[in-house]
Amino acid sequence: MLLGCIADDSTGATDLAAVLVAEGMRTVQTIGVPDAGTDPGDVDALVVALKSRSIQPSAAVHQSLAALRYLQERGAKQILFKYCSTFDSTREGNIGPVAEALLEALGEEQTIVCPAYPTLNRSIFRGHLFVGDRLLSESGMEKHPLNPMTEPDLVRVMASQSRRKVGLVRYDTVRDGADAVRTRLGELRADGVAHVVTDVIYDEDLRILGEAAAGLKLVTGGSGIALGLPENFRRQGLLGRHEAGELPEVDGYEAVLAGSCSVATRGQVADFLNGRPGFKLDPQKLADGDGAVEEALAFAQERLKDGPLIIYATAEPGEVAAAQTVLGRERAGELVEAAMAKLATGLVERGVRRLVVAGGETSGSVVSALKVSALRIGQKIDPGVPATVSVGDRPLALALKSGNFGTPNFLSKAFGFMPGKRP
Ligand code: ADP
């Protein structure tokens, strides 16, 4: 394993994994810090997905250090701490405290701070983060419910959450190339600067910075900074070029579980049902016991051999509101999530090995019911949603989609991106 990554949330982890795969690294994403004995298989990059963005800084540091130990035990040569491209954080953290704890644990003096990704409209000039044409603090992020970003100057933001000195590599230096950046980093290091914000205007700048960061044990940034890191390993002869996202073949029955009620998912469910079998779950029936889940599984058992089918709780806003009035918002959600967990295990017992799941929370409960602890990342199905195969003895092909992602025919086309076939 070459590159060990620690991501502060799970969609960010998948986003990073997709960049690494596109740059030719065989990549596995784990769900939380795996048990010490968990073997991710033969990989070039490992992305540990944490949920540490909005928790207490001390807890975020604790989890991140546990992730670091797991990655070090597997021989990671470089660590990437991945956070949001809008630098989502509070006055206290968690970017500064985590970066400092990682530097200390690695015995390092300096790292770069680079959330930029011009392709995704995030650029940095004179240390100021822009979202499209607007400063971060005028981008809407100033009103974020958990971590409002009211200061666009990343040098100041980082200084407010770190004990060590913060500096800047200006665009003028980045434009001069990797050697110029390395020289500047050296000067700043001599000055005691631990965190170096880097200007970025074009994606090409990320490749220059990636090259300049070859000697840093810790790099921090958004998924964009990963663009330039794989090439460093190639220059050293450590990394081949792997076909983007090769996955092992997984054969078995095909099913979709949909627990998202987002606009995109509602359209996708309607599209899938046009010509394919489906079973609709009613939260109020779920409240009466396991009868509805058993009925859904019996429905599936009869039809799986004929092709993919869907079991869904996806409903129009009026139906959701009605269920919530009777059951309460939380209980309605919990009932559906618990049903999805049972359905996932029930379907797998009936021979399903190829599964598409719609909904962020829904995916979380399915993955945990199926005891999936790590995913090998494959080809992109749609932006933000790769095909994956679970790591372990009995692999499953999975596409986990957050509610609003994907084109209208996502639920049927996803199976085409999963190597393997149905019996
Ligand atoms: P998304 O990614 O669109 O946010 P999630 O799976 O994260 O989807 O969240 C959807 C939530 O709505 C889940 O908690 C799910 O259990 C709940 N839910 C799904 N269907 C219904 C329904 N018919 N009535 C009430 N709640 C529902």
Side-chain angles (χ1 to χ4, degrees):
M1 210 250 294
L2 301 169
L3 186 64
C5 308
I6 303 168
D8 69 355
D9 91 329
S10 92
T11 42
T14 307
D15 179 21
L16 168 63
V19 170
L20 294 170
V21 164
E23 293 298 317
M25 288 188 116
R26 293 166 303 170
T27 304
V28 162
Q29 173 184 336
T30 70
I31 294 146
V33 183
D35 300 331
T38 307
D39 179 11
D42 202 7
V43 293
D44 304 313
L46 199 54
V47 182
V48 177
L50 301 177
K51 257 191 184 178
S52 56
R53 186 170 293 170
S54 308
I55 62 178
Q56 283 297 317
S58 56
V61 164
H62 181 79
Q63 288 183 18
S64 305
L65 289 176
L68 174 67
R69 277 193 296 277
Y70 179 80
L71 295 167
Q72 283 180 313
E73 278 159 18
R74 261 138 210 91
K77 299 194 182 313
Q78 187 171 45
I79 299 294
L80 170 57
F81 168 38
K82 152 78 173 73
Y83 39 76
C84 190
S85 64
T86 43
F87 215 69
D88 295 21
S89 51
T90 64
R91 262 187 73 79
E92 296 78 40
N94 293 331
I95 297 174
V98 169
E100 260 166 14
L102 293 172
L103 275 177
E104 197 171 315
L106 288 161
E108 284 281 287
E109 292 299 316
Q110 192 182 58
T111 187
I112 58 168
V113 178
C114 185
Y117 201 167
T119 285
L120 302 182
N121 274 321
R122 310 286 191 267
S123 49
I124 304 175
F125 189 68
R126 297 293 190 257
H128 289 64
L129 179 58
F130 288 82
V131 176
D133 296 337
R134 296 261 89 82
L135 284 167
L136 175 66
S137 50
E138 299 166 20
S139 67
M141 278 304 294
E142 72 278 16
K143 299 203 186 82
H144 191 283
L146 297 178
N147 41 259
M149 300 302 291
T150 54
E151 170 60 70
D153 180 343
L154 296 182
V155 175
R156 286 193 186 156
V157 177
M158 202 55 192
S160 80
Q161 20 174 303
S162 338
R163 285 166 304 177
R164 295 160 83 167
K165 261 175 138 175
V166 185
L168 173 68
V169 173
R170 298 161 120 215
Y171 192 69
D172 322 52
T173 308
V174 176
R175 190 189 49 182
D176 286 342
D179 285 339
V181 173
R182 258 191 298 266
T183 305
R184 183 70 190 131
L185 287 175
E187 289 165 6
L188 289 167
R189 189 179 303 127
D191 228 11
V193 174
H195 307 288
V196 185
V197 176
T198 53
D199 280 354
V200 168
I201 299 179
Y202 302 102
D203 281 0
E204 263 327 290
D205 304 331
L206 292 167
R207 295 189 188 273
I208 290 170
L209 289 168
E211 185 181 345
L216 299 179
K217 280 198 193 145
L218 177 69
V219 173
T220 86
S223 54
I225 195 62
L227 281 177
L229 298 178
E231 206 52 40
N232 294 330
F233 298 114
R234 254 176 227 121
R235 279 188 206 102
Q236 298 172 62
L238 298 173
L239 177 67
R241 182 167 276 288
H242 299 281
E243 204 47 47
E246 264 174 282
L247 290 177
E249 292 194 3
V250 177
D251 298 337
Y253 291 138
E254 297 177 333
V256 180
L257 288 174
S260 159
C261 299
S262 71
V263 178
T265 302
R266 287 188 340 247
Q268 290 158 346
V269 170
D271 177 84
F272 186 91
L273 285 172
N274 191 8
R276 294 180 198 83
F279 187 99
K280 182 166 177 171
L281 293 171
D282 174 355
Q284 299 189 53
K285 276 201 193 146
L286 294 173
D288 297 336
D290 280 345
V293 168
E294 278 153 26
E295 214 182 307
L297 287 172
F299 172 92
Q301 181 138 18
E302 242 170 68
R303 293 169 179 81
L304 279 169
K305 61 181 183 318
D306 302 326
L309 55 84
I310 185 169
I311 304 176
Y312 61 105
T314 308
E316 296 298 314
E319 293 171 80
V320 174
Q324 289 176 340
T325 307
V326 177
L327 300 165
R329 174 189 297 266
E330 247 180 59
R331 177 145 159 79
E334 282 165 14
L335 282 167
V336 172
E337 284 170 37
M340 290 294 172
K342 285 182 202 145
L343 288 165
T345 45
L347 288 171
V348 169
E349 280 162 16
R350 286 162 180 78
V352 170
R353 316 290 314 159
R354 300 159 61 75
L355 190 61
V356 176
V357 186
E361 295 299 325
T362 308
S363 296
S365 64
V366 164
V367 156
S368 110
L370 294 174
K371 301 195 166 41
V372 170
S373 62
L375 299 166
R376 186 174 283 275
I377 304 295
Q379 253 192 84
K380 177 174 86 175
I381 305 173
D382 271 326
V385 205
T388 74
V389 169
S390 65
V391 173
D393 295 342
R394 296 203 65 203
L396 296 166
L398 297 166
L400 307 171
K401 183 190 87 77
S402 122
N404 262 325
F405 286 5
T407 57
N409 62 346
F410 180 90
L411 299 179
S412 42
K413 82 174 176 188
F415 293 108
F417 290 78
M418 303 168 161
K421 55 188 179 316
R422 58 171 189 268

